Amino acid sequence: MRFETRVIHGGQEADPRTGAVIPPIYQVSTYKQDGVGGLRAGYEYSRSANPTRDALEANLAALEGGARGLAFASGLAAEDTLLRTVCKPGDHVVIPGDAYGGTYRLFAKVLERWGLDYTPVAQQDLDEVRRAVRDTTRVIWCETPTNPLLNVADIAALAGIAREAEARLVVDNTFASPALQQPLALGADVAVHSTTKYLGGHSDVVGGALVVDDQQLADDLAFHQNAIGAVAGPFDAWLVLRGIKTLAVRMDRHCDNAEKIVAMLREHDAVTEVRYPDADEIARKQMTRYGGMVSFRVRGGEQQAVDICGRTTLFTLAESLGGVESLIEHPGRMTHASAAGSPLEVPGDLVRLSVGIENADDLIADLRTALG
Ligand SMILES: Cc1ncc(COP(=O)(O)O)c(C=O)c1O
């Protein structure tokens, strides 16, 4: 099955009892047992397994080409569960020199206290990554393209470095989505998602996912998913699955619109730099297109960047990304405020766009007005 078919049919079967073509929302916590230990189809308690979540997890595995998908209450819940599964206190992780601020905060403010050490590295420089690896390194954590600077790291090359170090390569694939980039096929051990973003696609649900190909790792993760308990609820799982069905067509339009906006911004006098990975050699090798996220820096500095964010009318001033509607934000004061004063601090003159699927000319007109 090709991707456009997999988003709709991957891992999906009609409901066995009724033939319902869409998995019902099994809004249930517990399941009747036929005698002690006599589980029906293995269901016991919805933290351990729930049919709606199972349907999403099977679909996630199909999208990323993995053996198993696991769905969580948020992207950060997925990240936390993963790190506490594959690392122990005293271990070390190589993290990106820029990344989603919440991911950085998880390392810096939560897992460091648990005893997990980390080194931020600009992962475009593979020698720097090699130098950062220690005997205790268990994970190379990669986000590509990065949030919000859209830097690109070479997944296949990082997988090679991880293998040599007997560490695992984790790729946060939230920005690209599996429609544009398939980390497991490039050698990554784990694909991570905030399903809140492109997979959900409609700004109506918070969720996270992990997809892996190794069966032992899948079993360890499933154990911790249940033991830690940050699972996706049935309705949230259903919403994400519903969103995924249109992922392929949505990503086409996100990319079409972003390309037109990038062309306009590159010509605009107020803009000093456009961050979009369409000319990046590595991106061209590992992505099919370059997504709906665009960042740019402005001549007038931080105040102008903040003012632009306040002046658009179609682009809604809001955090998050990946929904059908266009969003604008100031990363330094919003999504990445938690990285202020750290090596992951972002420039104050940076504006980030999540380009939606509206009419491109309407979006361009809105931005032109806001840029002045
Ligand atoms: C790249 C990336 N990874 C992870 C996350 C965390 O996901 P969530 O907000 O669903 O916990 C985000 C959220 O913005 C993100 O942008």
Side-chain angles (χ1 to χ4, degrees):
M1 279 196 277
R2 295 188 177 75
F3 190 77
E4 295 81 350
T5 312
R6 262 188 284 150
V7 288
I8 294 165
H9 297 288
Q12 305 304 293
E13 279 169 28
D15 182 57
R17 193 161 78 87
T18 63
V21 294
I22 296 298
I25 304 167
Y26 282 88
Q27 193 68 45
V28 61
S29 61
T30 193
Y31 306 82
K32 176 179 162 68
Q33 303 191 9
D34 298 319
V36 175
L39 306 184
R40 297 188 191 178
Y43 293 106
E44 172 182 49
Y45 183 59
S46 278
R47 172 161 36 70
S48 319
N50 171 282
T52 315
R53 196 176 89 221
D54 284 352
L56 170 61
E57 293 183 335
N59 183 253
L60 289 166
L63 295 191
E64 288 283 8
R68 178 134 189 195
L70 300 113
F72 293 85
S74 70
L76 283 173
E79 295 182 16
D80 177 44
T81 303
L82 168 62
L83 286 161
R84 285 196 283 157
T85 303
V86 299
C87 298
K88 61 181 187 321
D91 286 345
H92 172 257
V93 180
V94 177
I95 67 166
D98 70 294
Y100 170 55
T103 297
Y104 177 68
R105 184 177 54 204
L106 178 66
F107 282 105
K109 301 279 196 238
V110 180
L111 292 169
E112 192 180 45
R113 279 197 290 126
W114 182 67
L116 190 64
D117 205 358
Y118 63 92
T119 310
V121 168
Q123 296 185 344
Q124 304 91 285
D125 184 341
L126 296 173
D127 286 333
E128 258 208 67
V129 176
R130 279 190 200 95
R131 275 195 295 275
V133 168
R134 309 176 187 165
D135 290 347
T136 52
T137 303
R138 294 278 81 83
V139 169
I140 297 179
W141 188 282
C142 168
E143 188 182 297
T144 186
T146 57
N147 180 2
L149 289 169
L150 293 138
N151 284 314
V152 171
D154 187 332
I155 296 173
L158 289 175
I161 297 174
R163 256 195 313 278
E164 269 169 44
E166 292 180 23
R168 288 195 166 98
L169 177 65
V170 173
V171 176
D172 184 333
N173 202 25
T174 298
F175 261 38
S177 93
L180 307 179
Q181 177 172 275
Q182 303 260 316
L184 299 185
L186 293 163
D189 297 285
V190 187
V192 175
H193 281 280
S194 168
T195 56
T196 316
K197 311 294 161 38
Y198 287 104
L199 298 187
H202 296 76
S203 306
D204 54 10
V205 62
V206 172
L210 303 173
V211 184
V212 297
D213 210 23
D214 177 87
Q215 200 52 56
Q216 182 58 52
L217 179 57
D219 291 346
D220 289 350
L221 287 168
F223 172 82
H224 284 84
Q225 181 192 35
N226 179 49
I228 294 172
V231 294
F235 185 47
D236 288 358
W238 187 89
L239 280 171
V240 173
L241 190 53
R242 177 182 158 114
I244 287 172
K245 289 181 189 299
T246 55
L247 177 65
V249 289
R250 282 188 287 109
M251 284 316 289
D252 282 347
R253 178 65 86 85
H254 283 297
C255 293
D256 290 346
N257 283 357
E259 285 165 13
K260 289 177 188 159
I261 285 170
V262 163
M264 183 277 283
L265 291 172
R266 282 184 175 146
E267 296 289 303
H268 202 287
D269 285 345
V271 176
T272 53
E273 187 186 4
V274 180
R275 311 281 312 177
Y276 191 66
D278 54 341
D280 186 286
E281 281 297 303
I282 305 296
R284 285 174 166 281
K285 193 180 73 170
Q286 69 191 17
M287 300 177 76
T288 50
R289 291 182 79 184
Y290 309 100
M293 298 303 297
V294 179
S295 292
F296 61 96
R297 301 178 73 174
V298 288
R299 205 170 297 288
E302 178 156 355
Q303 193 52 51
Q304 189 187 16
V306 169
D307 291 346
I308 290 167
C309 293
R311 275 203 295 261
T312 53
T313 53
L314 270 182
F315 278 86
T316 303
L317 177 59
E319 304 206 355
S320 200
L321 60 111
V324 291
E325 66 292 302
S326 292
L327 303 179
I328 190 167
E329 70 124 0
H330 184 265
R333 294 196 190 173
M334 295 171 64
T335 48
H336 291 66
S338 55
S342 82
L344 280 82
E345 182 168 325
V346 295
D349 60 3
L350 189 78
V351 175
R352 191 190 75 179
L353 305 175
S354 171
V355 178
I357 63 170
E358 303 95 331
N359 179 282
D361 293 337
D362 290 341
L363 296 177
I364 286 172
D366 189 34
L367 279 178
R368 277 195 192 284
T369 307
L371 284 162

